[in-house]
Amino acid sequence: MHAEDHEEHTVPAASPSVDPAPLDALDRRLLTELAADGRVTNAALAKRLGIAESTCLQRVRSLRERGVVRGVHADVDLAALGFPIQAVIKVRLGSHNRDHVASFHQVLAHVPGVLRILHVGGEDDYLLHVAVSSTTQLRDLVLEHLNVHPVVRHTETQLVFEEIAGAGVL
Amino acid sequence: MHAEDHEEHTVPAASPSVDPAPLDALDRRLLTELAADGRVTNAALAKRLGIAESTCLQRVRSLRERGVVRGVHADVDLAALGFPIQAVIKVRLGSHNRDHVASFHQVLAHVPGVLRILHVGGEDDYLLHVAVSSTTQLRDLVLEHLNVHPVVRHTETQLVFEEIAGAGVL
DNA sequence: CTTGAAACCCCGTGCTT
DNA sequence: AAGCACGGGGTTTCAAG
């Protein structure tokens, strides 16, 4: 249990650095538990699944080393933190030149308030999930960080009324 | 470090059950650390911030009790788990009747593969972030779980090419 | 509200079967 | 993969500033 966590998400499109080791039922149960409570101790986890602690530790370690478990993060209430407003900003580009897109990525990843960047196909090019402290900040985010970028052709902002956890895949 | 985690997200729009206790700089530092690594031990956390372990423990406890920290969850690589395809499904409703919407919520929360449900204002009504094992499953999800619901007027699916972590608010 | 130290408890490790 | 014994470290509580 240490602070050796590297992250960075680039999820789909050819999973990176993930060994072709198929996950068995036990692995899936472990992941389910860890997704529900990332702070369970190894002992508690083992007991809950009815396996030996040594086995449990070994499995969990393997999952982390293979990158199946990317990290463990606290889920913070952004509203309580002073960012009560969330929005999704649809972004369409004017040029899909490879370099332009790459530089836009870099910009996006450093815009404060941006929680998650989804590069999508279809009508839009990007969907940005953002959290801000005020509508003024939301406007500033769009005007000062997005629309100023030459590759951005169009943005459209939708306020998030409610965010609900889905059933997930587990 | 136990298994006493209640969850369920309904983020913005009047933060629920959050006491008007303003978070000071120390709280914010703690949250930043916990968001980066939710498994840090209390001892390590205290040392990193230069405070006593007892103080650290008390602060973190308070943050959890006040709901500022909703929980700690493992970040699982869905592709490695067998769900390499992600998509965003825009959903528009035909009726915004309160009961219809409520029942639709219930349905959505139980559709397997749905990671996150955003109830938004604007052109769309819902944005669903989903993960599936194949395009066939994606089609089935839309046809069998969404379009069959009488309140759903229109859906539009966008494939996720890449998912990138934003800078966040911390 | 914070601190420091002490006591308890339990986690994680490695070895053996 | 399981069980056990050891050692170390984390958590917790207390009195005090």
Side-chain angles (χ1 to χ4, degrees):
Chain A
M1 54 160 65
H2 258 171
E4 311 298 49
D5 281 43
H6 312 292
E7 314 285 321
E8 254 23 68
H9 307 166
T10 49
V11 178
S15 42
S17 73
V18 174
D19 291 336
L23 304 176
D24 63 11
L26 181 55
D27 286 324
R28 252 173 275 132
R29 292 174 66 199
L30 286 167
L31 292 172
T32 303
E33 294 294 331
L34 289 172
D37 179 8
R39 274 186 87 86
V40 230
T41 61
N42 184 61
L45 194 54
K47 186 179 295 180
R48 201 175 298 178
L49 299 195
I51 61 177
E53 298 180 8
S54 47
T55 307
C56 188
L57 187 66
Q58 187 176 313
R59 288 297 191 106
V60 173
R61 231 181 232 164
S62 169
L63 288 172
R64 277 204 267 163
E65 285 168 357
R66 281 186 283 168
V68 180
V69 172
R70 294 208 196 83
V72 178
H73 308 282
D75 177 17
V76 177
D77 182 348
L78 297 177
L81 231 174
F83 301 90
I85 297 175
Q86 295 193 14
V88 172
I89 305 172
K90 304 175 183 174
V91 178
R92 294 184 210 172
L93 304 185
S95 153
H96 293 75
N97 171 289
R98 197 177 179 77
D99 292 336
H100 291 173
V101 172
S103 84
F104 185 55
H105 271 217
Q106 280 308 104
V107 171
L108 282 183
H110 293 97
V111 176
V114 175
L115 306 175
R116 206 161 205 66
I117 303 161
L118 294 180
H119 182 188
V120 298
E123 198 178 355
D124 308 301
D125 291 305
Y126 291 92
L127 298 178
L128 310 181
H129 186 188
V130 306
V132 294
S133 60
S134 65
T135 52
T136 300
Q137 254 209 4
L138 182 55
R139 182 202 59 188
D140 291 348
L141 192 157
V142 174
L143 294 183
E144 295 177 10
H145 288 100
L146 300 180
N147 284 342
V148 297
H149 203 284
V151 79
V152 173
R153 180 187 293 262
H154 178 72
T155 66
E156 189 181 325
T157 303
Q158 296 184 324
L159 256 119
V160 175
F161 295 144
E162 193 177 6
E163 182 180 12
I164 308 168
V169 296
L170 299 168
Chain B
M1 61 160 60
H2 258 168
E4 311 298 48
D5 281 42
H6 311 292
E7 314 286 321
E8 253 25 70
H9 308 168
T10 50
V11 180
S15 43
S17 74
V18 174
D19 291 335
L23 304 176
D24 63 11
L26 180 55
D27 286 324
R28 250 171 277 131
R29 292 175 65 198
L30 286 167
L31 291 172
T32 303
E33 294 294 331
L34 289 172
D37 178 7
R39 272 187 87 86
V40 228
T41 61
N42 184 60
L45 194 53
K47 186 180 295 179
R48 200 174 299 179
L49 299 197
I51 60 178
E53 297 180 8
S54 45
T55 306
C56 188
L57 186 65
Q58 187 175 312
R59 286 297 191 105
V60 174
R61 242 185 220 160
S62 170
L63 288 172
R64 277 205 267 162
E65 286 167 358
R66 282 186 284 170
V68 180
V69 173
R70 294 207 195 84
V72 178
H73 309 282
D75 178 18
V76 176
D77 182 349
L78 298 176
L81 230 173
F83 302 90
I85 297 176
Q86 294 193 14
V88 172
I89 305 172
K90 304 175 183 176
V91 178
R92 294 185 208 173
L93 304 185
S95 153
H96 293 77
N97 171 289
R98 197 176 177 78
D99 292 336
H100 291 172
V101 172
S103 85
F104 185 55
H105 271 216
Q106 279 309 103
V107 171
L108 282 184
H110 294 97
V111 176
V114 175
L115 305 176
R116 205 163 207 62
I117 304 162
L118 295 180
H119 182 189
V120 298
E123 199 179 354
D124 309 301
D125 290 305
Y126 291 91
L127 298 178
L128 311 181
H129 187 188
V130 306
V132 293
S133 60
S134 65
T135 52
T136 302
Q137 254 207 6
L138 182 57
R139 181 201 60 188
D140 291 348
L141 192 157
V142 174
L143 293 182
E144 295 177 12
H145 288 100
L146 300 180
N147 285 342
V148 296
H149 204 284
V151 79
V152 173
R153 182 188 290 261
H154 178 73
T155 66
E156 189 182 325
T157 302
Q158 298 185 322
L159 259 124
V160 175
F161 295 145
E162 192 177 8
E163 181 181 13
I164 309 167
V169 295
L170 297 169

